[in-house]
Amino acid sequence: MKKLGVGVLGVGEMGKRHAENLRRLVPQARLVAIADVAGERARQVAAELEIEHWDNSLGALLEHKDINSVLIATPDKFHAGAIIQAAEAGKNILCEKPLATNMADAEAALKAVEKAGVRLQIGFMRRYDPAYAAAMQRVEAGEIGEPVLFKSVGRDKDAPPMSAYQANVNGMVFYNNTIHDFDLARWLMKDEVREVQSYGTVAIRPEVAKYGDVVASVVNLSFSRGAIGNIESYVQAVYAYDVRTEVVGSKGSIFIGSVNQAPATFLTAHGATRTLADHFLTRFEDAYLAEVRDVVDNMLHDRPPRVTGEDGLRSLAIAVAAEKSLHQRSACPVEIQAAATSGKS
Ligand SMILES: NC(=O)c1ccc[n+]([C@@H]2O[C@H](COP(=O)([O-])OP(=O)(O)OC[C@H]3O[C@@H](n4cnc5c(N)ncnc54)[C@H](O)[C@@H]3O)[C@@H](O)[C@H]2O)c1
């Protein structure tokens, strides 16, 4: 069987899962090498997953001639630079969200991809989650008519440690968390967001403010064709990892997601217990696997990516407007250069 040679850059929590999937559950892929600036981490993950090569830089990873595609799972601020370096080396790319943490870096990355003529997919894996994918099929079949309202909730169970804010390598909540919902909003509503108004709070953890972040936010959305929406993000839900979305249309509504990881409820003398989703790696287990399978298959057969660089740019533009709105305390338009492209996609 023809196999796609893949390298994974950044093997922390997310990159390690991608590497596991590629190594064990995607027969069309050959995971040639992994790399991480923390060389010891790369060595350990390579040993655990029985991967032949490990490196401590992207430059070294790109030296492997049998690597056709690179999966980037470094912290957010390194995505654009890694895309540019991988594209210039002629590699196809799957990059974790967000595309970048500012528009200038995002546009430079897309330019490099276009110039090199390589493929780029952005890691909006919720589109591959069976529940979200089924909802989209029904929206496209017209079952709820014309979408009118979009509502989404994204709550992490455990607050990040202060060291994560201090490290300053990821974007603030709109870029790191809400960006998933910005992408879902565009995708499920089949429309673009034209204006946002956002609010945020650090009320339960004031020290977060000095890192320019918030612990909870709401972003109101206004779409180009007249629909409206609202997204809530919260990083400290405590009880579970809770991701839910609703699309309300002219003929009905679709609820997607549930706080329950498994549909079963256990009833005993002590009351009712359910298994709640506690982490993105469990809630979206199927989606991460379906995503890499699809990307590998498309890259192997030179087909365009399902989630494009332009999708990455447009969701980023909404995050940029949301941050601006938070600071200016007023509604802000979503501003984007017209001719954004993404290589062969
Ligand atoms: N799609 C999703 O649902 C999802 C979920 C979690 C994280 N993510 C994204 O994945 C990325 C990684 O997140 P994570 O939770 O795995 O973080 P993490 O901190 O657990 O892992 C990041 C890894 O990258 C390494 N690293 C840092 N800088 C590097 C560089 N310049 N070159 C190579 N390696 C480098 C670190 O040593 C670490 O091992 C982030 O961009 C995040 O937004 C996406």
Side-chain angles (χ1 to χ4, degrees):
M1 186 206 292
K2 198 176 153 205
K3 292 194 180 215
L4 187 82
V6 184
V8 175
L9 180 71
V11 283
E13 199 163 36
M14 192 65 255
K16 185 183 175 200
R17 169 59 62 87
H18 287 311
E20 279 172 339
N21 282 339
L22 286 162
R23 178 77 183 85
R24 297 183 171 144
L25 300 170
V26 187
Q28 284 184 301
R30 185 165 88 81
L31 180 51
V32 176
I34 56 173
D36 196 297
V37 276
E40 181 51 24
R41 169 79 181 172
R43 191 195 64 74
Q44 277 170 13
V45 173
E48 186 185 329
L49 300 180
E50 299 175 272
I51 300 159
E52 206 178 334
H53 305 286
W54 61 270
D55 301 294
N56 58 12
S57 72
L58 177 54
L61 188 80
L62 295 172
E63 293 289 308
H64 298 278
K65 295 282 168 272
D66 39 356
I67 288 182
N68 163 282
S69 305
V70 175
L71 191 162
I72 298 167
T74 59
D76 303 355
K77 290 195 177 170
F78 306 114
H79 290 180
I83 290 173
I84 292 170
Q85 203 179 334
E88 286 174 350
K91 310 296 180 191
N92 290 318
I93 301 155
L94 168 60
C95 182
E96 266 305 339
K97 42 53 66 171
L99 166 59
T101 51
N102 62 69
M103 293 299 279
D105 285 358
E107 281 157 15
L110 294 193
K111 238 182 221 144
V113 166
E114 190 183 10
K115 187 165 173 222
V118 295
R119 306 276 196 203
L120 168 66
Q121 173 146 341
I122 304 300
F124 288 125
M125 82 305 157
R126 288 187 192 174
R127 297 191 188 199
Y128 291 90
D129 174 68
Y132 278 100
M136 184 55 173
Q137 274 180 2
R138 285 167 170 244
V139 169
E140 293 207 299
E143 290 184 37
I144 58 159
E146 175 69 14
V148 176
L149 274 159
F150 175 85
K151 291 182 82 85
S152 206
V153 168
R155 299 182 192 152
D156 285 342
K157 181 168 185 279
D158 301 311
M162 281 318 291
S163 58
Y165 292 101
Q166 282 153 359
N168 192 30
V169 287
N170 286 310
M172 54 92 69
V173 71
F174 296 142
Y175 300 82
N176 194 254
N177 305 33
T178 326
I179 197 117
H180 279 297
D181 307 88
F182 294 147
D183 180 64
L184 290 175
R186 298 183 53 245
W187 184 59
L188 287 164
M189 300 295 280
K190 296 163 74 69
D191 200 359
E192 299 299 339
V193 176
R194 61 168 197 90
E195 186 180 87
V196 296
Q197 176 138 27
S198 46
Y199 301 87
T201 181
V202 291
I204 55 164
R205 210 179 179 195
E207 61 272 34
V208 163
K210 68 171 180 280
Y211 300 101
D213 216 331
V214 294
V215 294
S217 59
V218 291
V219 182
N220 291 330
L221 313 168
S222 162
F223 292 83
S224 297
R225 290 202 310 272
I228 53 175
N230 171 272
I231 301 170
E232 176 212 298
S233 303
Y234 183 32
V235 301
Q236 195 182 322
V238 179
Y239 60 89
Y241 176 72
D242 188 2
V243 170
R244 289 170 277 140
T245 302
E246 184 182 8
V247 183
V248 186
S250 55
K251 293 187 195 163
S253 175
I254 305 181
F255 282 94
I256 307 142
S258 150
V259 74
N260 298 328
Q261 177 67 28
T265 301
F266 299 94
L267 303 170
T268 67
H270 306 292
T273 55
R274 293 151 190 250
T275 311
L276 301 184
D278 66 343
H279 197 273
F280 52 86
L281 290 178
T282 44
R283 166 65 184 86
F284 288 111
E285 184 177 2
D286 296 341
Y288 294 120
L289 179 58
E291 175 186 53
V292 287
R293 279 191 172 148
D294 183 57
V295 169
V296 166
D297 192 43
N298 287 336
M299 286 182 179
L300 205 50
H301 298 102
D302 201 25
R303 289 192 297 259
R306 193 182 291 214
V307 190
T308 65
E310 180 166 353
D311 290 321
L313 189 73
R314 287 189 176 276
S315 56
L316 177 65
I318 306 171
V320 169
E323 187 182 12
K324 202 167 157 193
S325 167
L326 185 70
H327 295 312
Q328 292 186 353
R329 295 169 181 268
S330 62
C332 285
V334 176
E335 291 169 322
I336 190 156
Q337 300 289 326
T341 54
S342 51
K344 292 205 288 182
S345 58

